[in-house]
Amino acid sequence: MKKQILVLGSTGKTGRRVVERLKNNPDVEIRLGSRNEQIPFDWENPETWKNVLQDIDTVYITFQPDLAVPFAVNAIEEFTILASKSGVKKMVLLSGRGEKEAQICEEIVKKNAKNWTIVRASWFNQNFSESIFLEPILAGFVALPRAEALEPFTDADDIADVVATVLIDDNHNGKTYELTGPRLLTFKEAVNDIANASSRNITFQSLSLDEYSAMLREYQVPEDHIWLANYLFEQVLDGRNASVTSDIEKILGRKAKDFSAYAEETAKTEIWNPKN
């Protein structure tokens, strides 16, 4: 009998990669969890939850935009209770490193799930190519706070490989994993790696948190996005996550992808080359 897996955030950075890895597995049937599917799923609309959980036995839980936002704890509580009542036997949660709210959500999953695996990830490499830092890189000017903070940037492909493994292999039940890249970098070093890989001049400027918020407001970024960015830079990048782990190697039997390798591979796609 096929394992019925629901992938929430199936169009997101890790979700779509997890789907890619599972779709050719003959023992798995995947249901995509997003607003635009035939059976839609929306974290902000609990009425969509019941239908998407029908006949599902395993769920990959990703929460948008982040487990740190105020309504995440209640949503995770309600969803996980409903999931267990609906017959879900296993939940895998994508969590954050060093986020107090994320750890509260982890405990909720542990309490409500019959079986669980927690996957904590540091900042994604792909934030520089598929998300918030892409536009500044294209502009050739990246201005960020916490310039001195060290972060073990993790590749979304590595995260997806781990998630696809733990979703299927019950030997990982009841485990919490911390996923990191193999070395610590500052944001300036990461941007320099991208500049070198793409043969471009990219200026990096260090800002205070207040200056960063003011800059985001200048660009008319919504206030809730500014709040989240501030939270992540202020709380998560205060040094608490300046360490690397070997969990990716432990699970996959190979080393985690280095940021420089990510930069070299991504530069070949020309995503960082401004279109003339």
Side-chain angles (χ1 to χ4, degrees):
M1 193 171 167
K2 289 190 176 187
K3 191 182 279 269
Q4 306 289 321
I5 299 179
L6 169 63
V7 177
L8 299 183
S10 57
T11 58
K13 286 188 204 70
T14 66
R16 66 181 167 81
R17 288 174 164 87
V18 170
V19 170
E20 282 168 13
R21 283 151 179 77
L22 295 177
K23 67 184 179 185
N24 295 321
N25 187 322
D27 299 321
V28 168
E29 201 160 295
I30 306 164
R31 180 171 297 162
L32 306 180
S34 79
R35 289 188 184 98
N36 299 320
E37 290 304 315
Q38 196 171 357
I39 304 174
F41 174 84
D42 184 348
W43 277 115
E44 295 182 32
N45 182 6
E47 290 178 11
T48 64
W49 300 355
K50 189 174 181 180
N51 286 343
V52 86
L53 284 165
Q54 192 172 342
D55 301 323
I56 294 295
D57 51 49
T58 303
V59 182
Y60 175 43
I61 302 174
T62 66
F63 189 87
Q64 295 298 326
D66 193 275
L67 289 172
V69 302
F71 79 96
V73 170
N74 284 343
I76 293 291
E77 177 86 65
E78 290 173 23
F79 178 82
T80 52
I81 289 171
L82 179 62
S84 284
K85 281 181 181 170
S86 301
V88 170
K89 298 179 182 69
K90 179 172 175 174
M91 302 181 207
V92 175
L93 176 71
L94 180 67
S95 187
R97 291 181 89 211
E99 294 179 28
K100 183 180 70 178
E101 292 82 358
Q103 286 162 12
I104 292 169
C105 292
E106 291 174 15
E107 293 307 313
I108 290 168
V109 170
K110 291 178 188 179
K111 178 184 72 175
N112 293 331
K114 290 182 175 69
N115 296 291
W116 54 266
T117 307
I118 307 297
V119 176
R120 294 175 181 162
S122 54
W123 286 58
F124 298 175
N125 294 345
Q126 281 71 14
N127 285 335
F128 293 92
S129 51
E130 299 175 18
S131 190
I132 51 176
F133 304 135
L134 175 57
E135 204 172 314
I137 286 168
L138 288 172
F141 181 76
V142 180
L144 293 171
R146 296 285 196 195
E148 74 295 339
L150 290 164
E151 178 69 12
F153 296 102
T154 311
D155 200 84
D157 286 321
D158 284 347
I159 297 167
D161 284 343
V162 167
V163 170
T165 300
V166 304
L167 282 167
I168 292 167
D169 186 348
D170 289 340
N171 289 318
H172 299 286
N173 290 3
K175 304 275 180 68
T176 297
Y177 295 117
E178 292 217 9
L179 308 188
T180 74
R183 66 186 169 109
L184 296 166
L185 293 90
T186 64
F187 279 90
K188 184 175 184 179
E189 288 169 335
V191 169
N192 284 343
D193 271 1
I194 290 168
N196 291 335
S198 57
S199 303
R200 294 187 53 221
N201 291 318
I202 305 172
T203 301
F204 183 91
Q205 183 181 339
S206 175
L207 300 176
S208 69
L209 281 164
D210 286 345
E211 287 169 336
Y212 184 60
S213 296
M215 182 186 75
L216 293 180
R217 287 192 182 95
E218 229 175 86
Y219 286 106
Q220 298 183 317
V221 173
E223 282 299 320
D224 55 341
H225 293 196
I226 295 172
W227 176 88
L228 180 57
N230 265 317
Y231 172 89
L232 293 172
F233 276 106
E234 189 173 18
Q235 300 290 326
V236 181
L237 290 170
D238 63 354
R240 72 183 74 178
N241 293 324
S243 60
V244 299
T245 74
S246 58
D247 282 359
I248 288 174
E249 188 171 359
K250 191 191 302 178
I251 297 162
L252 301 178
R254 61 163 178 79
K255 292 194 180 299
K257 186 183 288 184
D258 187 81
F259 190 89
S260 293
Y262 152 77
E264 293 288 344
E265 287 172 18
T266 306
K268 289 172 186 169
T269 69
E270 303 203 334
I271 187 75
W272 290 319
N273 290 344
K275 304 293 183 282
N276 295 323

